[in-house]
Amino acid sequence: MDEFLEQNRRSWDAAVEAHASHRRGLAAFLRGGGVALFPEERELLGELRGLRVAHLMCNAGGDTLSLVNLGARATGVDMSDRAIRLARSLSRRTGLRARFVRSEVCRWLAAVRGGEGFDVVFCSYGVVCWLEDLGLWARGVAGALAPGGRFVMVEFHPFSDMLDGGWRLRRPYPSGGERVTLEEGVGDYVGESGGGLAPGGFSPGVRGFANPHPCHLYRWGLGEVVGALAGAGLRVLALREYPYINGERKLPGMRELGGGRLGPPEGVPAIPLMYGVVARR
């Protein structure tokens, strides 16, 4: 496990600088009170003013500092050294205060278990696929929450992993945490998505990014995710499915629907591409 984690950390370290190069207007956007979260996250999160929020797998901190602009007392956690350095730099440049911790997520959750507890634990987009042990993660989430606290997640729907570039069914439904190695590593999905993931304006930045480090993903189904949360003692309050993706051009030919939403091409039926979960301790 440590070997795969280290390879994933190196792959992310290589990619985050490329991602940040397309978001040169992010600091000014946040400094002016901007919020990078999409409406689905904001709706599921609800009122955050004065609440202690843990943001898991926070990457370079843009969404964490958006939580601060919504009134939260935020802590961001990520295993990438470079992502955390960028997040701390962004905090200084915006004047928005948040705590950023460099740690693998399950280890950090284990370390805070039994402490004061967070009012909200939040994560979004491309989180579950990095978890080798779903049950360990879910138990960690439950242990990090204060009594009555909420877990909120918006994530890509596993159904989308069954599709090829022509929107045809080519792979079985994800299950069991099957490990998949990507020799090409973490890609520059921010650059490939144009302005969809660059609040404050898109900058051309790095071109032709090639990651020298492979990465390892784990394939989990929606039922396994919800089951792990319930098995950890959390009460699932909401499960929502959305026929679009926010911001990222995850598949070729995606059609702009407005508001940053991207749907299937014309002629492809509506299918679940994203889901949201709210659970309470």
Side-chain angles (χ1 to χ4, degrees):
M1 182 175 180
D2 286 345
E3 177 187 351
F4 295 135
L5 281 173
E6 177 59 19
Q7 289 177 357
N8 284 348
R9 186 191 65 79
R10 289 198 297 265
S11 196
W12 274 106
D13 273 357
V16 292
E17 298 282 356
H19 298 171
S21 75
H22 306 297
R23 294 168 165 158
R24 302 201 187 280
L26 181 58
F29 173 79
L30 293 168
R31 194 164 50 242
V35 174
L37 303 174
F38 288 96
E40 289 74 16
E41 293 105 273
R42 296 186 64 170
E43 178 189 2
L44 295 175
L45 283 164
E47 177 59 52
L48 295 178
R49 192 160 304 279
L51 298 186
R52 297 159 297 176
V53 180
H55 182 197
L56 308 182
M57 297 153 144
C58 69
N59 203 279
D63 284 0
T64 313
L65 296 176
S66 294
L67 297 170
V68 174
N69 273 343
L70 292 172
R73 291 179 283 159
T75 297
V77 182
D78 201 279
M79 70 176 178
S80 166
D81 301 85
R82 292 186 184 177
I84 291 299
R85 285 201 295 269
L86 286 169
R88 290 170 178 165
S89 173
L90 188 62
S91 177
R92 290 191 296 270
R93 288 184 290 130
T94 59
L96 299 171
R97 296 184 62 184
R99 179 177 177 236
F100 289 102
V101 180
R102 208 293 289 176
S103 176
E104 189 276 323
V105 63
C106 289
R107 291 173 183 168
W108 182 80
L109 289 168
V112 301
R113 185 182 183 91
E116 185 178 2
F118 290 87
D119 301 300
V120 178
V121 172
F122 169 66
C123 54
S124 62
Y125 304 110
V127 172
V128 170
C129 64
W130 300 101
L131 302 170
E132 183 176 28
D133 190 329
L134 202 58
L136 179 65
W137 168 78
R139 292 190 296 273
V141 167
L145 286 168
R150 293 177 294 117
F151 170 69
V152 178
M153 178 172 70
V154 177
E155 179 61 287
F156 300 122
H157 202 291
F159 183 84
S160 65
D161 291 332
M162 301 175 69
L163 305 173
D164 67 9
W167 293 78
R168 295 177 294 266
L169 288 172
R170 284 290 183 265
R171 292 179 289 273
Y173 188 74
S175 67
E178 174 195 4
R179 187 173 67 245
V180 177
T181 298
L182 300 183
E183 295 297 337
E184 66 272 25
V186 180
D188 185 12
Y189 55 84
V190 178
E192 292 165 1
S193 295
L197 296 175
F202 178 77
S203 303
V206 171
R207 300 174 187 268
F209 172 74
N211 198 320
H213 302 291
C215 64
H216 309 275
L217 307 180
Y218 302 92
R219 288 166 53 82
W220 298 103
L222 176 55
E224 291 172 317
V225 175
V226 175
L229 294 169
L234 298 176
R235 179 188 173 204
V236 177
L237 303 178
L239 173 60
R240 300 180 184 172
E241 296 175 289
Y242 308 94
Y244 50 81
I245 286 175
N246 283 330
E248 183 174 340
R249 294 187 177 276
K250 199 169 187 295
L251 290 164
M254 297 196 79
R255 181 166 47 98
E256 295 191 12
L257 304 177
R261 295 172 176 173
L262 298 163
E266 291 285 355
V268 176
I271 54 177
L273 293 174
M274 195 170 75
Y275 70 92
V277 177
V278 180
R280 186 182 300 278
R281 177 180 170 187

